[in-house]
Every structure is written in structure tokens, then in C-alpha cells.
Amino acid sequence: MRTSIRAGLAGVAAAAAALGVAELLAVVAGARSAPLVAVGGVVVDHVPAAVKDFAIAVFGTHDKTALLSGTAILLALYAYGVGVLATRSWPLAGAGIALFGAIGAAAATTRPNAGVGAAIPSLLGAALAFLVLRHLLRVGARPAVTEAESRRAFLKQAGIVAAVAAGGGVAGRWLASRGAATTARNELQLPAASGPAPVVPAAAQVDGAVPYVTPTRDFYRIDTALITPRVDPANWTLKIHGMVRNPITITWAELLRRPMVERYVTIACVSNEVGGDLIGNALWLGTPIKALLDEADPLPEADQAVQRSADGWTCGTPTAVLRDGRDALLAIGMNGEALPVEHGFPARMIVPGLYGYVSACKWITEIELTRFSDFDAYWVPRGWSAQGPIKTESRIDSPRDGASKKPGPIVVAGVAWAQHRGIAKVEVQVDDGPWETATLAPVVSDDTWRQWTHTWTATSGDHALRVRATDLDGYTQTSDLADPAPDGATGWHRVTVSVS
Ligand SMILES: Nc1nc2c(c(=O)[nH]1)N[C@H]1C(S)=C(S)[C@@H](COP(=O)(O)O)O[C@H]1N2
Ligand SMILES: [Mo]
């Protein structure tokens, strides 16, 4: 094996050792202090909006895995280079490793809510990388060994390092996943709602549309968190402060004693493309946020309620919306269970009618009353609108785009939504024919999506089907196409079907 290849591999093994041990140290120093996660987090917060939209469009909800894998590949290339460099100049290679440690430490300590201790995984990891690299480059370098013996010794040692590194990384993630937050979640007995949940009529579900109530495991997930915050409810509080006459802080025990209601609410992501699936309907258990705000007594000028999460993310909701009587909830349950960690355990906001980026703060710890003119929440400086009411939209779930069908009657079905306004009408158009009125399914409230169905007598040939909805305010979706940025996509969803 060429010396440079061997040195490069030694560099990669050393970097793996650093990351593995850092992952273990992060169990103590805080999960977001692991260098890959910390650097990835900085990237997430600073990539231009266009790159992020591209990543969501290409990788969807796997965008985080893509980012972490990409970062790991870049790091491996860098480590390979440092290994090769070490055979020429140890000071330069040492500087390369120090730079790696410094970048990790700088990223980790500047993450929201991070202390100086967050630097430890990166710094100790870098020190270990240096020792491992030096050790591996010496293996088999002793005189009087044959090339074959030396290669075998090197590969064995590098293999051991890589295995130990991977073991450390996996162990770290495993330890983090069975911390206090998970135990508390597993043991949580959800309080009962003050009244029964609305009953979903069987007819709310039509054949061919997605489930009216989205199973939790299929519920879309969107957030900036590379690893989900794990908040132990025992240490959780919600602070309501800022421009209020009566700042309050409630603990988890106090929250559980508050009146709880159960409501079906369909939430949607502003990044959802026309026809996209970043939308879901769940039964949320929570306490009305209006009552909590009334207790805090916001000043009349405080037109924005900024919610802040355990990992520092923020969103801003009009105070008036939270107090206008709609079912805006501080939610702790989803579909009859405690909130899953990815969906905001222990508590999150759910506000009917507003996109998630301006209303649905997960892992919420704080509500600060302020003014829109005084504070821009996370997505606003990144080019998204400060106001994010959900736009009236509709989607064809079947037939699927590109489907092949036989001539004759075909059931066209899907969903339409205009949360908190409600859907009044859905129409389907075949090719350039007239808009035909679809049959609407019943709904439990205007805060959920509404299913619809329409029978189309298909004739041979290629056809385009379009859908448009009209909400109860009388607004009908137009053909105007808009991208998700800055405040939600518009346009008619269209599928093509070939009939023969
Ligand atoms: N803490 C936190 N809460 C967040 C976000 C986030 O990045 N961090 N993203 C928001 C966005 S953009 C959406 S669309 C919803 C998605 O909620 P879900 O992942 O439970 O579907 O969460 C919102 N709450
Ligand atoms: Mo979103």
C-alpha cells in the first residue's frame, strides 16, 4: 500500500475516532455539542433560503440526513488530506487537526443556550485524533518488518480504531435516546380532556383520499433541529413574559392540572408545494392558550407573541389570533398519546389557520409578548413573510399522477383545506372542460381539511385533471402559480392520466 494512501486512511480513522468519542462526551456535555451536529446546525441556520428550499425539494424530510452525510463526507476528505500532510509536516497536520477542533468548538459554543462546556467534545475529540493519527502512522514503520506484515498491522489497528469509533458513536446516540425525557414520556399518563373529543363521522373518509386523521407515524415532520431536543418535563417550564402586566411561569405539573380539550386540527407547512404532502390532520390534546395569555395580560401594543423552543428556534404569532376564540392550544398530546419527541414533547403550540413556521412551536419553553416591528422570528430574516395564514388549497390523491386507467367511471378523490375558514366547494376540471362540482365529505370542524370525491367517466386518451377549492369566505383558488416562499404556494393541483 502506498504510504500516502495509508496516511490518508489513518487520517480518516483518526477523524472517526474523534467523532465517536465526541458523540459519547456529548451525552454529558449536551447532545447539540457533538461537532457534526453543531457544525450542521450552524449550516442549517445560515444557508441561503434558495439552497434550503432546494434541499427540502430534493430530499424532503430526509434533508437532515442528507446534510449530516454531506458534512461527514467533506470531513472524511479533509481528514484524508490531513493524514497525507502528516507524512510531510507534523506541525501542519497538527494545525489541520486543531482547526477541525476549533471549528467544532466554535460552532458548539455559539448554538442557542450553549455554555462553554459545549466545546469539550470537539476539543477532546481533536486531541484524540492527533494521538490516533500519530499512533497509526507509526504502526508497522519499524525497520525489519516486511511490507506485507506492516500493511496487515496497519489495517488491523486502523480497523480497531474505526470499530471503536463507530461503537462510541452508536453508544452515545443510544444513551442520549434513553435519557430522562424518553423515560418521562413513556411513563406519562395524559390528563383527560374536560369534554369528549369531536366524533369523526365515518363519511369524513372517502375512498381514494389519504386518511382523514393522519397516523402519527406518517405525520410530516419539519424543523431546523438536526437532533431533536430532549426535554425532561421535570425541568420544563413555560415562561410568558415581555409586554405583559403579569409575567407567569408554569411548570409541567401546573400545566397538567389546567383544563384540557381535544381538537382535530390540520397543520400545514408553508414549504408545501401544490400537490405536496407537508400537511397532516391530528387529534391534539392541549390547554387553550387564550386563558394563559389572559392571565399574563398582554399590553394592547403587544401585537406579536414570540414562541421560543428549547433549541432557540422562534416563531411569531399575532397575539390577536391567539385570543380570538379559535382553538389555539398549548398541546401535550397527539392522536391519544403524549407528543412524540419529534413533534415537540413535552409541549408545542397548535394554531388553526396559520402555517407551522409562524405558529406551531415545538419543544416550546417561552412566549414573549412583543411587537412585529420590534422582533423578527427565525424565518423572517431568511426571506419568509412575518404573517403566514394558510392559503386555500386542494389536492388530488387519486388517481395518481401518471396513472393508467381503463375507460369508464373513475373515482377522483382528494382533500381541500382552508383552515379556520372552512371549505365550501371543490370543483374538478377534465382537460379544458367545464368545472364540475365534487361531493364534499362531512368534517368535524372548519379547522381540518375536507375530503371530496367526484366520478369521472373516462374516455380513451391522455387526460389532465385539475382541482380547485372555494372557501367559506367565498374565495376560489385561482390559476396563479406562486412558489412556497415567501408565504405559501398557490395554483391548481393537476394530475395526468392515460386511459386505454
Ligand atoms: N422548535 C421548532 N418548532 C417548529 C419548527 C422548528 O424548526 N423548530 N418548525 C415549524 C414548522 S416550519 C412546521 S411546518 C411545524 C411542523 O410540525 P410537525 O413537525 O409536528 O409536523 O413545526 C413548526 N415548529
Ligand atoms: Mo413549515
Side-chain angles (χ1 to χ4, degrees):
M1 196 182 337
R2 292 233 331 261
T3 322
S4 59
I5 296 182
R6 186 186 287 195
L9 292 179
V12 174
L19 293 185
V21 87
E23 203 62 57
L24 267 180
L25 291 167
V27 174
V28 186
R32 274 170 295 127
S33 66
L36 213 49
V37 172
V39 172
V42 171
V43 173
V44 167
D45 287 354
H46 294 280
V47 289
V51 177
K52 178 137 34 185
D53 295 348
F54 169 81
I56 291 181
V58 175
F59 302 111
T61 44
H62 299 296
D63 55 340
K64 295 185 183 65
T65 319
L67 172 65
L68 288 177
S69 318
T71 314
I73 291 169
L74 283 182
L75 182 64
L77 292 174
Y78 179 78
Y80 192 96
V82 168
V84 174
L85 196 59
T87 58
R88 318 234 162 101
S89 157
W90 266 107
L92 276 182
I97 295 175
L99 180 64
F100 157 85
I103 290 174
T109 49
T110 53
R111 301 306 292 145
N113 308 336
V116 283
I120 291 172
S122 294
L123 297 182
L124 289 187
L128 181 75
F130 185 82
L131 295 177
V132 168
L133 182 60
R134 210 179 51 175
H135 171 73
L136 286 178
L137 289 183
R138 282 178 184 168
V139 171
R142 261 171 277 120
V145 276
T146 68
E147 162 61 16
E149 279 168 348
S150 152
R151 181 171 59 225
R152 227 176 294 120
F154 169 78
L155 287 176
K156 186 171 152 206
Q157 301 255 357
I160 291 172
V161 168
V164 169
V170 170
R173 286 293 168 102
W174 181 74
L175 285 170
S177 74
R178 52 186 291 288
T182 313
T183 313
R185 182 177 180 274
N186 293 340
E187 287 169 1
L188 177 65
Q189 297 278 339
L190 281 181
S194 330
V199 176
V200 179
Q205 178 71 56
V206 307
D207 283 346
V210 294
Y212 176 71
V213 181
T214 313
T216 304
R217 64 173 180 284
D218 299 335
F219 209 94
Y220 81 94
R221 174 191 166 196
I222 291 285
D223 52 61
T224 60
L226 278 179
I227 50 166
T228 44
R230 293 184 180 273
V231 182
D232 180 359
N235 305 323
W236 177 89
T237 55
L238 176 73
K239 188 168 132 190
I240 305 182
H241 66 120
M243 297 170 68
V244 297
R245 293 199 183 80
N246 179 35
I248 53 179
T249 299
I250 62 164
T251 64
W252 181 243
E254 286 161 353
L255 172 57
L256 295 186
R257 284 196 297 271
R258 294 192 71 90
M260 293 282 161
V261 297
E262 264 186 314
R263 295 288 182 264
Y264 289 96
V265 178
T266 301
I267 64 168
C269 184
V270 68
S271 297
N272 200 28
E273 306 271 353
V274 172
D277 57 6
L278 299 179
I279 176 165
N281 185 35
L283 178 63
W284 308 98
L285 172 77
T287 193
I289 196 69
K290 178 178 189 300
L292 274 165
L293 287 178
D294 287 350
E295 278 174 48
D297 199 3
L299 302 180
E301 316 86 88
D303 60 2
Q304 177 176 224
V306 172
Q307 300 140 53
R308 192 167 279 114
S309 76
D311 65 353
W313 185 83
T314 53
C315 67
T317 310
T319 313
V321 163
L322 299 179
R323 306 181 83 187
D324 71 0
R326 74 183 74 197
D327 287 318
L329 301 179
L330 175 60
I332 59 171
M334 179 179 188
N335 290 337
E337 289 176 13
L339 284 178
V341 171
E342 314 80 75
H343 293 291
F345 181 78
R348 72 172 304 168
M349 291 283 286
I350 290 293
V351 184
L354 301 187
Y355 287 120
Y357 83 106
V358 291
S359 70
C361 188
K362 305 192 275 190
W363 315 289
I364 188 171
T365 58
E366 212 181 296
I367 300 177
E368 181 178 351
L369 278 295
T370 177
R371 284 186 285 220
F372 278 103
S373 55
D374 288 343
F375 183 79
D376 283 338
Y378 187 92
W379 284 110
V380 176
R382 292 169 174 83
W384 296 79
S385 166
Q387 303 293 331
I390 295 177
K391 295 179 178 174
T392 301
E393 266 294 333
S394 50
R395 190 180 74 193
I396 300 172
D397 287 346
S398 66
R400 290 259 165 225
D401 191 30
S404 303
K405 295 281 177 190
K406 298 244 168 303
I410 288 175
V411 174
V412 185
V415 286
W417 59 91
Q419 286 92 317
H420 206 57
R421 299 183 294 280
I423 290 292
K425 183 160 78 168
V426 169
E427 294 161 290
V428 174
Q429 184 190 41
V430 180
D431 302 322
D432 293 317
W435 285 97
E436 294 169 38
T437 305
T439 306
L440 293 179
V443 273
V444 293
S445 81
D446 290 338
D447 293 341
T448 77
W449 54 14
R450 185 160 193 177
Q451 307 210 332
W452 55 268
T453 167
H454 183 67
T455 306
W456 163 49
T457 309
T459 54
S460 293
D462 289 344
H463 298 285
L465 303 176
R466 292 187 187 79
V467 64
R468 71 176 185 198
T470 300
D471 63 30
L472 284 162
D473 284 352
Y475 169 83
T476 301
Q477 277 182 260
T478 70
S479 60
D480 289 349
L481 285 177
D483 285 335
D487 62 359
T490 64
W492 296 330
H493 186 215
R494 172 180 184 273
V495 299
T496 55
V497 185
S498 58
V499 180
S500 62

